[in-house]
Structures are given as C-alpha cells and as structure tokens.
Amino acid sequence: MPEELRLGGVLDSVEVPLSDARLGNEVWLCDGIYGKWESFPVVGFGQPEFNRIAVEVDAPNDRREVMCPDLPYVAKCDHGGDYSWNRNNYVHGDMARIKPRGQQVAA
C-alpha cells in the first residue's frame, strides 16, 4: 500500500469525547478530498466568527436542539497565525480521535 494511504498512527489513536479535548492534543482528521489522515495540534476553542457551526443535540420529548458550543480547532489552515477563521480547522462530532496523550508533542 502506498505510504500516503497507510493509516499508521490512526490505528493507535484513542477515541475521546470531544468535550475532553485539550490544548496541545494531537487530533486526527481525514482530508475529505484525498482521503488521507493527518494529525494536528489543538490550538484553541471557539467558533468561526462569520460561519457558525451548528451542532444538534438530543433534548427531552424527542426534540432536537441546535447549539454552537466552543469547539476545538487545530493548526491546519493558517491565515496570518489565526486558525479560528476556517471551519475546516474545527473538530466536528461527538468524539475525537487523538494520539495517546503520552505520545503527543508538548504545546
């Protein structure tokens, strides 16, 4: 298998609730265009200022509510040192795949 398509460290990753993500955690994200997995460090929490990311949650009485929580974002697409501007830098979903915390580079 070509090296760029190998899963490598993704297989050793740990799945944690997104709410447990911390600054410096190395989060695995899959590039939807190339299908390649890469890890990026979490560098902040928030929402893109002009492009809010809605998250649906289950609510009482089988209702769904939409929230815009402070999501972790990673150092992927840079814009003058600001990573919060691009929604592709944000980790989506309920769970995140991270490198085991003992194997991560210090932030």
Side-chain angles (χ1 to χ4, degrees):
M1 175 176 277
E3 185 174 347
E4 66 272 6
L5 296 177
R6 295 181 192 161
L7 293 175
V10 177
L11 297 175
D12 296 327
S13 66
V14 178
E15 195 170 50
V16 298
L18 193 57
S19 59
D20 287 352
R22 297 185 242 166
L23 285 177
N25 282 159
E26 292 278 332
V27 178
W28 287 98
L29 300 176
C30 184
D31 184 316
I33 296 172
Y34 300 107
K36 180 180 172 186
W37 286 89
E38 292 184 79
S39 68
F40 301 93
V42 173
V43 293
F45 295 86
Q47 286 280 321
E49 187 174 336
F50 299 106
N51 194 5
R52 305 295 281 176
I53 300 169
V55 177
E56 288 188 359
V57 295
D58 291 322
N61 300 325
D62 295 327
R63 295 179 48 219
R64 296 188 76 65
E65 294 182 358
V66 176
M67 304 184 329
C68 292
D70 286 336
L71 297 173
Y73 58 88
V74 299
K76 182 178 178 184
C77 302
D78 187 13
H79 184 67
D82 179 17
Y83 296 98
S84 66
W85 70 282
N86 189 322
R87 70 181 283 122
N88 293 317
N89 291 339
Y90 287 81
V91 183
H92 301 265
D94 297 331
M95 305 293 282
R97 295 202 75 75
I98 66 170
K99 288 185 178 181
R101 289 192 169 119
Q103 298 177 8
Q104 296 183 28
V105 178

